[in-house]
Amino acid sequence: MVRISTNQYHQTALNALLDQQNTLSKVQEQIASGKRILSPSDDPSGAARVLELAQSIESTERYNRNIDAAESRMGLEESTLNEVSSTLQRVRELAVQAKNDSNTAEDRKKIAAEVREQWKHLVQLGNTTDGNGEYLFAGAQSGTRPFQTQADDTVQYAGGQTARRLQVGAGRSMETTHTGYETFMDMPASYEVTATTGSTGTATAAVAVNTSVTQREDVSGYEVRFTETADGGFDYAVVDDSGNAVTDSDGNAITGRYEAGRSIQLPEQGVELTLHGQPADGDALTIQADSDRSMFDAVERFASALENASDTEQGRSAFQAAGDRALAEVDAGLENVERIRAEVGGRLNGLDSERNANEAAALELKSARSTIQDLDYASAISEFSRRLTGMQAAQQSYSKIQGMSLFNYL
């Protein structure tokens, strides 16, 4: 026979009551929180998986926050490039206006004043900042002012050569803006035409680069030579730096009758010459590469040509060539801006696709987490009712047990 003391009887009943209270409290807490796993001990493997899923969800949501930031910067870049395009278009209109032969040197100097203002506006656009005070076109060096004006009105690029990138997906990062160098500074090769020593005429020429030709030969050292004909006119011939005739795509030497304003096509080299002025017998024009290739230099050079224009025959001829060059360089700048704007549009479309993919992934991750972590309310309510009944039974039995004592029978 096992003897059970009164104290042991009471303790056993009390322990059973406390166990029922603890179980009921846990079920009640699960119902209140809506979570099946309240602590890692409830389901160690499930808790670990929930933690992994939570980290994945946070990463995916962070990618979408990066996408929001990238869209903001790209939207600002697109609007800024639109303003750059408008500025260059206005310079082009002024160049066409200034090239009219009815303009005097004084008229062109007046036009130069507006061209100077457009140049300043272009520099200002290049130094655009975002809402955080960072320079839009400074690349990775976003805290550095990218375009700095020098005393001689040249503009130097001080930004980074690497574009800023943001992680927008688990395996994808994207450039958020273009660098100022590729936007404003890296223009197609530019050329300057000068008369050779001994030339006495006023002939000059402008060189337009065909930006659609991806592989162009360097035309530095090419010459346009003029020969007077028996009828008092002039023929021209284009030769290379060795004196050999330059040929067209059919292998024919590029020669012809000179006419002011006439264009000479060099299809294999991807450039076009436009002749101006009046040559003399034996005159020649030499083409040399120009290192100034930025939008700013092109506009500033045109403003200087306007300011230095004269009403002499030679001055008018020189200005016509300068106007042709300005038109060619502004057109190249406009084409470059449009190319970059197209890239911005493509990137924005890419961000939309990446956002949709991230949202779909986040939905799947949250669904998986819910399956593991969230409470089945129907089962929980049934469990709560069962535990409540057990609690009530334990309370009643404890009430009866605590009233039992041997002294009641003495």
Side-chain angles (χ1 to χ4, degrees), residues 5 24 33 38-39 52-53 77 131 135 214 284 295-296 311 315 317 344 370-371 373 380 383 393-395 397:
S5 67
L24 183 63
S33 66
L38 299 177
S39 64
E52 292 174 358
L53 291 170
E77 180 184 16
Y135 290 99
T214 56
M295 289 183 193
F296 309 111
D311 289 327
S317 175
V344 172
S370 176
T371 301
Q373 178 178 260
E383 177 70 8
Q395 287 175 335
S397 63

Side-chain angles (χ1 to χ4, degrees), residues 56 69 81 142 149 151 241-242 245 252 262 280 286 290 312 324 341 351 361 381 395:
S56 297
L81 290 174
S142 57
T149 306
D241 53 3
S242 298
N252 300 317
R262 180 170 184 171
T286 301
D290 192 338
T312 64
D324 285 343
R341 289 180 67 182
L351 288 179
I381 294 299
Q395 287 175 335

Side-chain angles (χ1 to χ4, degrees), residues 185-366:
M185 307 297 288
D186 192 21
M187 296 295 101
S190 178
Y191 294 92
E192 184 177 10
V193 180
T194 57
T196 59
T197 303
S199 295
T200 59
T202 62
T204 186
V207 182
V209 177
N210 183 356
T211 55
S212 65
V213 179
T214 56
Q215 294 183 345
R216 293 182 294 270
E217 296 181 18
D218 186 5
V219 299
S220 295
Y222 280 23
E223 286 188 359
V224 182
R225 296 177 178 176
F226 300 96
T227 304
E228 188 174 6
T229 60
D231 59 1
F234 292 89
D235 288 337
Y236 68 84
V238 181
V239 299
D240 60 22
D241 53 3
S242 298
N244 301 316
V246 175
T247 59
D248 59 21
S249 57
D250 295 325
N252 300 317
I254 299 179
T255 61
R257 185 75 167 180
Y258 170 74
E259 296 177 11
R262 180 170 184 171
S263 295
I264 302 174
Q265 301 289 336
L266 303 178
E268 292 182 352
Q269 286 73 40
V271 297
E272 178 183 274
L273 301 176
T274 303
L275 303 173
H276 294 283
Q278 182 61 45
D281 186 41
D283 284 358
L285 301 175
T286 301
I287 304 171
Q288 295 295 336
D290 192 338
S291 59
D292 294 336
R293 298 169 57 187
S294 74
M295 289 183 193
F296 309 111
D297 291 327
V299 176
E300 195 283 328
R301 185 166 40 243
F302 177 53
S304 295
L306 288 164
E307 292 164 346
N308 297 323
S310 69
D311 289 327
T312 64
E313 182 181 353
Q314 185 173 5
R316 286 181 174 275
S317 175
F319 179 78
Q320 288 298 326
D324 285 343
R325 179 178 182 179
L327 285 172
E329 291 178 336
V330 168
D331 285 344
L334 284 168
E335 184 173 338
N336 191 57
V337 170
E338 290 307 308
R339 176 187 64 80
I340 292 177
R341 289 180 67 182
E343 288 183 3
V344 172
R347 291 176 185 178
L348 286 170
N349 290 336
L351 288 179
D352 287 339
S353 299
E354 197 64 36
R355 185 197 300 279
N356 292 336
N358 289 342
E359 289 175 350
L363 184 62
E364 290 296 326
L365 291 170
K366 289 177 180 178

